[in-house]
Amino acid sequence: MAEVLVTGGSGYIGSWCVLDLLAAGHSVRTTVRDLAKEPALRAMLARGGAEGPLRVLPADLQSDAGWREAVDGCDYVLHVASPTLTSVPRHEDEMIVPARDGVLRVLRAARDSGVRRVVLTSAIGAVAYGHPDRSTPFTEDDWTDVDAGIPPYQKSKTLAERAAWAFIASEGNGLELAAVNPVGVLGPVLGPDYSPSLGLLRRMLDGEVPASLKFASGYVDVRDVADLHLRAMTDPAAVGERFIAQSGPSLWVRDIARILRERLGERASKVPTRELPIWLTRTVARVNPELRLIVPQLGKNFDATSAKARRLLGWQPRPIERTIVETAESLLALGVPA
C-alpha cells in the first residue's frame, strides 16, 4: 500500500478521496489551513465510515510553509484543494493567482520530495467555456478560451491547469501528472463544504429558486469522482492525461427539477415547475451579482463525454438520476425543509 497526501481533505471531493484511499488500505495524510479544523474534519470523515491511519497537517495554498513536510515520504499526491471565495470577487486575480500559485507550490514540493505522481483536480471549467455553440460533446482535447470574457472561477481553473502542465514539461524532472476534470458534482453530503451544483439542488428543495434557469450541464457523483482520482493515481495509462468526469448525457435544470418532483413527491413540493425565460434572467441579473455569473451559460448546453476515462481506466460511474435522488435525500436529512 502507498502513502498518499490529499490536499484539502475537508472539502467535498477531498473528503471522499480520503475515504476511498483509507478503504483501499493506503496510509493517508491530508492538509488543512488551520489545525483547529482537525476535530471537525475527523468527525465528518467518521460519518462517512473512515477507518485507518490518517494524519492531518497544516498547509495553506497561499504560503510555502508546510508543503515540504506534507509531501515528504509520499508516493502520490491528490491535489484537490483550490482557493474559494464566499462572494463574487472584486477582481479576477483574487481567484486566479491563489489557484495558479497553489498548484505550483504543491508540484514543486512533490518533485523535490520524490513523489511519483500527482493527480490534479481541475474542472470542466478548464474545458468547455469561451467556445462557439456546438452540437458535439466537449472532450479532453478542448481547452477553455481564457480571452473570451469567461467568469473568474473558470478562468482560474484553466490557468491553474495550464500552469501545471507547463511545469511538468519544463521543471517536472520525472514527476508524473494526471488531471481529473469533473462537471457538476453531486452526491451524499458529509459536511457543510459542498459543490455549487449541490447548492443548486439545496436551493430548489428549499424553495429559493422560483423557476429553473435555462442551461444544461453534465453531472457526476462525488463518489465516482473520487474513484476516478484513485484510478488516475496508479494506472500507467493515466500519465500525462486529462479525464473528464461525467456520468452521462447533460441535463437541463428543468430535467433535474422533474426528477426531484417525480421521485420525492411531497418532499419536493417547493421545487420549481416553471423555467425562467432567458430575457427575464438577464434582467434580474442586473441587480443580482450571483445570477450575473450564470448569464454566460444561459441557453447553452455544456455537454461533455467521459469516454476516455471509461476506455483507458475502466471507470464506470453510477446513473446520475440515482445520484440526484440520493443527493436530495442527504440534504433533507441535514434539515433542508421538505
Side-chain angles (χ1 to χ4, degrees):
M1 292 295 103
E3 184 81 20
V4 186
L5 169 69
V6 179
T7 69
S10 61
Y12 187 43
I13 295 175
S15 60
W16 283 102
C17 287
V18 170
L19 289 171
D20 271 16
L21 288 164
L22 290 173
H26 297 292
S27 294
V28 185
R29 58 182 80 169
T30 191
T31 58
V32 291
R33 290 192 299 271
D34 184 352
L35 280 180
K37 297 180 179 180
E38 181 177 352
L41 166 61
R42 290 189 179 275
M44 179 182 69
L45 293 172
R47 286 194 292 273
E51 294 183 4
L54 174 67
R55 294 175 59 197
V56 181
L57 302 167
D60 189 323
L61 290 176
Q62 300 190 61
S63 170
D64 291 332
W67 286 110
R68 184 62 185 265
E69 294 80 5
V71 302
D72 191 37
C74 285
D75 301 292
Y76 304 104
V77 173
L78 305 186
H79 180 39
V80 187
S82 183
T84 56
L85 293 175
T86 57
S87 59
V88 179
R90 290 171 294 179
H91 191 280
E92 62 182 16
D93 282 348
E94 292 179 42
M95 296 201 79
I96 292 170
V97 174
R100 182 186 58 216
D101 292 356
V103 165
L104 295 176
R105 281 191 175 92
V106 172
L107 289 176
R108 287 192 191 100
R111 176 200 61 192
D112 295 345
S113 296
V115 169
R116 188 181 311 171
R117 185 181 304 176
V118 174
V119 180
L120 169 66
T121 309
S122 186
I124 195 65
V127 174
Y129 284 72
H131 299 282
D133 290 344
R134 58 194 283 175
S135 58
T136 57
F138 290 99
T139 73
E140 292 83 357
D141 292 331
D142 294 305
W143 279 91
T144 285
D145 182 358
V146 295
D147 297 319
I150 63 172
Y153 174 77
Q154 285 78 12
K155 192 170 185 178
S156 73
K157 298 300 284 190
T158 306
L159 293 175
E161 189 187 341
R162 288 280 199 188
W165 290 114
F167 175 89
I168 292 297
S170 62
E171 305 176 51
N173 293 346
L175 176 65
E176 298 173 350
L177 179 67
V180 175
N181 299 73
V183 291
V185 182
L186 304 174
V189 178
L190 299 175
D193 185 352
Y194 47 76
S195 74
S197 299
L198 203 147
L200 172 63
L201 259 69
R202 184 198 62 77
R203 290 192 296 273
M204 293 171 78
L205 289 167
D206 202 16
E208 295 178 20
V209 180
S212 298
L213 301 178
K214 189 176 179 60
F215 69 90
S217 173
Y219 294 91
V220 64
D221 194 296
V222 66
R223 294 164 292 187
D224 295 323
V225 176
D227 174 59
L228 184 52
H229 277 75
L230 268 64
R231 291 171 184 268
M233 182 179 82
T234 57
D235 197 315
V239 178
E241 302 289 350
R242 316 168 78 200
F243 296 98
I244 291 173
Q246 178 167 319
S247 293
S250 60
L251 295 172
W252 293 89
V253 178
R254 63 174 179 263
D255 296 326
I256 297 175
R258 174 185 51 78
I259 291 169
L260 291 172
R261 293 194 306 271
E262 290 178 354
R263 297 293 297 274
L264 296 177
E266 284 301 311
R267 290 178 296 167
S269 61
K270 296 180 182 179
V271 172
T273 59
R274 299 176 295 111
E275 187 174 68
L276 197 66
I278 292 178
W279 67 267
L280 184 54
T281 309
R282 294 183 188 277
T283 300
V284 176
R286 294 173 186 169
V287 295
N288 185 321
E290 291 186 8
L291 201 57
R292 201 175 303 144
L293 295 176
I294 303 295
V295 168
Q297 299 174 229
L298 292 175
K300 295 187 177 182
N301 186 348
F302 290 87
D303 195 18
T305 175
S306 58
K308 182 178 177 180
R310 297 169 189 261
R311 183 180 72 253
L312 292 185
L313 304 183
W315 184 63
Q316 291 293 331
R318 66 203 73 199
I320 198 60
E321 181 168 334
R322 190 172 90 200
T323 295
I324 290 170
V325 174
E326 291 178 359
T327 302
E329 297 278 9
S330 177
L331 288 169
L332 290 168
L334 286 177
V336 175

